[in-house]
Amino acid sequence: AAAAWEDAGGGNTFSGDVTINSGNLVIGTAGKGIDFTAVADNAGMDGELFDKYERGTYLATIVGGTSGDYSFHGSGTYARLSYRVLGDLCHISGMVIPSGDNSINGILKMSLPFTSLANEGSSYTNDTYHPIHIHVHGDGGMENAFIEIGAGQTVGHLYNLTDAGVFEEIDESRVDDMFYMSVNLFFRIA
């Protein structure tokens, strides 16, 4: 069947499938994107527009809570997705490979490619917790490492949850001078 264009009072509508054999579909205006209003809605839904996508690499830094940082020999990849219903999301994956710096002190923190979303009201928090895997750490008590990304932050804090249910900071004494850390996480961004 032939495709048909119609004037819909300020915008055009199109009936039929669209195939782009060469080139890209370019959204030329910020805040515009793919609108999914024709699909069934869940209760509480407040948007159906996919209006941003970005991906790349970033060089994370591992820093100490009080001082110092690790040299970094790896990079993470990220994807930034924007949905009106969820806000902007950032997905990070990759492996960080810092090399030792004896001047580091305090809880270890990993830099993020974007600032996390601030809290929205008193009954909701944007803090998120994500399991991580720390390889070659030399600490037999490291059972369940995770990264906490607090609301409105540019870094995530590293913690361990023991098998006994105790939360512990991961500081310089818990890792070797050279260690590997695998991350794969999503968080809402400002």
Side-chain angles (χ1 to χ4, degrees):
W5 286 95
E6 298 175 16
D7 184 344
N12 294 321
T13 59
F14 181 79
S15 299
D17 295 336
V18 175
T19 301
I20 300 172
N21 292 320
S22 179
N24 298 311
L25 175 62
V26 177
I27 309 295
T29 306
K32 301 295 182 187
I34 301 171
D35 190 332
F36 292 97
T37 55
V39 298
D41 299 333
N42 288 326
M45 186 277 308
D46 66 356
E48 295 175 311
L49 184 66
F50 178 58
D51 62 352
K52 184 169 182 98
Y53 176 77
E54 173 186 338
R55 70 174 188 219
T57 60
Y58 82 104
L59 188 60
T61 304
I62 303 293
V63 298
T66 29
S67 66
D69 62 12
Y70 281 101
S71 301
F72 196 82
H73 299 286
S75 65
T77 60
Y78 75 88
R80 178 179 180 163
L81 313 169
S82 181
Y83 302 95
R84 288 277 167 97
V85 67
L86 294 175
D88 285 357
L89 298 174
C90 180
H91 174 252
I92 299 174
S93 63
M95 183 175 287
V96 298
I97 309 168
S99 64
D101 178 344
N102 295 330
S103 65
I104 196 163
N105 291 295
I107 185 172
L108 299 183
K109 300 185 280 187
M110 184 182 88
S111 65
L112 303 172
F114 301 102
T115 301
S116 63
L117 187 65
N119 287 335
E120 301 169 334
S122 60
S123 62
Y124 180 77
T125 179
N126 283 315
D127 293 358
T128 57
Y129 306 87
H130 308 275
I132 58 175
H133 188 76
I134 298 178
H135 313 268
V136 194
H137 52 72
D139 183 341
M142 187 97 62
E143 291 112 357
N144 303 292
F146 67 95
I147 186 170
E148 174 200 25
I149 300 175
Q153 298 296 309
T154 58
V155 295
H157 296 78
L158 277 56
Y159 291 96
N160 179 54
L161 175 62
T162 68
D163 290 339
V166 177
F167 287 94
E168 305 170 328
E169 293 180 349
I170 298 175
D171 62 18
E172 76 286 352
S173 70
R174 304 292 303 271
V175 294
D176 289 343
D177 283 348
M178 177 96 168
F179 68 94
Y180 307 90
M181 185 174 81
S182 302
V183 296
N184 189 7
L185 55 95
F186 277 94
F187 64 97
R188 294 181 70 190
I189 62 178

